[in-house]
Amino acid sequence: MQQNRSQVTERDGLFELEAGSDVLDSPRYNHDMAPTKVRERTWNKWHITALWVGMSICVPTYTLGGVLTAYFGLTVGEALLAILFANVIVLIPLTLNAFPGTKYGIPFPVLLRSSFGILGSNVPCLIRALVACGWFGIQTMFGGLAIHLFLGSVFEGWKSLGGTGEVIGFMIFWALNLWVVIRGAESIKWLETLSAPLLVAVGIGLLVWAMPNVSMTELLAIPAKRPEGASVVSYFAAGLTAMVGFWATLSLNIPDFSRYAKSQKDQILGQIFGLPLTMFLFASLGVIMTAASVKLVGVTVSDPVTLIGHIQSPVWVAVAMALIIIATLSTNTAANIVSPTNDFQNIAPKVINRTKAVLLTGLVGLLLMGHELLKKLGLIVSDVSLETVYSNWLLGYSSLLGPIAGIMVVDYFLIKKQQLDLAGLYRDDVYPAWNWAGFVAFGVPVVLTLLSLGSDAFSWFYSYGWFTGSALGGIIYYGLCVMRAQPSAVKTAV
């Protein structure tokens, strides 16, 4: 017989929900969004390390050094330092926001119900989902190109398809990504675990190939592309903010993964082991490979897919493309599909299950890349490049996501004191439908960021968007929650 009221139990600091009819019949609940059982939390520190290795080794990481030197006016040494510092910094919100996911087994959208309200959580969720769908499309474009080059190395006639072959590759890779995520979290776990050592080996192989053709001394001596005599501080800070923005999305939805961690120690160590060093080393590899590309293939090439495509041996191209396909798949499934899948389910859990949400994610990602796909098919002509959109997006979206990260940390650690009503997060009678404190704390930094775009005096607010946004959002949220609590406290005392 089904129990009427849900029960919450604790095992070694991990909470588990035995759902009763009050939760099972709630419109805010479905099986995929439910808290994970303790027995389902099987990811140890090495699984989480593999997750970050799998997500970090990808084409965009490879191009980060080039983005910082070309668009942010940094030297190679400054660019690599910015990448290392940024990933150490982003570990802080990543680790803190992972805590409630590990403790309560809840995904990102459910955690947001505490700070933005049961219904209000959909607003930041959809902001996060749209960014993820955009990245899903970009990564799928790289994966599709790798499939096109792989097929071209195996079947001679495939090369003649040109842009059409790239679009076909895009659709194959698109379908493969959706299939992996539809199969569930265990499928992603094993994909990351098996691919991580393989991807590290690929990086080492590329480094061995490139090093005889590049001088590190000359590379580090290349002057920065910024006005002569300009202070490095503002350029470095802008680049640092952009690099923090690279994983700003994951610093929000990390509970989507930490809900499967065995313990807080596992999620903390896994992230420390897996993120900063992998990002730094693979970005460094990208800088070295780009510098060596002139001697290797005769032209400067800034992405590994195109670079390897210049190799004359079809066998080595096929092997390399297969490995890049695995690398891009391991990044895309975890970093760009899991979150929007949960975010879209949060809108109407009883109507949208995981399969429908994955398909919706795929559709939005496809539509966002429609312009680029039509260009490849020759149906439209445009000067807008994917690289330009990518580099500008890094700084812009981090400004929007910063306040959400600050609000989440303050709500869980300072306002809720790490205590959540687990069953109440799935009902309508504990947390408000809309928590206006969360929206004010989110809205003020966003408005100030937009206003700063038109002001030279306050341009720093945009340039340092993630830092200014997260700090201001957290401070405003804390202040509003404290002021709201004071009247009730006075009334109780009387």
Side-chain angles (χ1 to χ4, degrees), residues 395-419:
L395 191 57
Y397 82 66
S398 68
S399 302
L400 292 178
L401 299 180
I404 301 174
I407 291 166
M408 289 174 66
V409 170
V410 168
D411 179 72
Y412 182 69
F413 286 96
L414 300 182
I415 304 301
K416 302 302 193 309
K417 311 287 187 188
Q418 301 185 61
Q419 300 298 319

Side-chain angles (χ1 to χ4, degrees), residues 266-300:
D266 282 302
Q267 68 92 355
I268 293 169
L269 292 178
Q271 297 198 83
I272 291 173
F273 294 161
L275 176 60
L277 196 57
T278 305
M279 285 290 294
F280 175 76
L281 292 177
F282 201 68
S284 300
L285 174 67
V287 171
I288 294 169
M289 293 296 296
T290 301
S293 61
V294 176
K295 291 184 179 179
L296 290 170
V297 298
V299 293
T300 300

Side-chain angles (χ1 to χ4, degrees), residues 9 13-17 31-38 40-41 98-108 110-111 254-261 264 342 412 420 422 425-426:
T9 56
L14 303 180
F15 286 75
E16 184 174 87
L17 178 69
H31 175 73
D32 298 317
M33 299 282 284
T36 52
K37 300 292 185 183
V38 172
E40 296 173 318
R41 302 179 201 182
F99 264 78
T102 302
K103 182 176 180 178
Y104 291 102
I106 53 177
F108 165 64
V110 174
L111 176 59
I254 190 63
D256 290 334
F257 300 102
S258 67
R259 65 195 293 230
Y260 298 103
Q264 298 292 1
N342 288 335
Y412 182 69
L420 299 175
L422 187 54
L425 289 169
Y426 292 90

Side-chain angles (χ1 to χ4, degrees), residues 137-210:
I138 290 172
Q139 291 272 24
T140 303
M141 197 68 71
F142 286 127
L145 176 59
I147 287 178
H148 169 64
L149 293 173
F150 173 81
L151 293 174
S153 66
V154 176
F155 307 106
E156 187 61 34
W158 188 272
K159 295 178 181 177
S160 63
L161 292 175
T164 302
E166 291 184 38
V167 173
I168 295 172
F170 177 95
M171 295 309 302
I172 294 172
F173 192 70
W174 179 87
L176 184 59
N177 277 267
L178 301 189
W179 177 76
V180 168
V181 180
I182 286 173
R183 287 177 59 86
E186 283 296 298
S187 175
I188 294 172
K189 178 179 113 175
W190 288 113
L191 171 65
E192 303 295 340
T193 302
L194 294 173
S195 64
L198 186 63
L199 299 179
V200 171
V202 171
I204 294 171
L206 288 173
L207 188 62
V208 171
W209 180 43

Side-chain angles (χ1 to χ4, degrees), residues 63-98:
T63 62
L64 285 182
V67 168
L68 287 174
T69 54
Y71 293 99
F72 290 90
L74 301 182
T75 66
V76 169
E78 291 165 355
L80 295 179
L81 277 178
I83 292 167
L84 180 60
F85 289 170
N87 285 282
V88 171
I89 290 169
V90 85
L91 268 179
I92 299 171
L94 273 167
T95 304
L96 292 177
N97 281 330

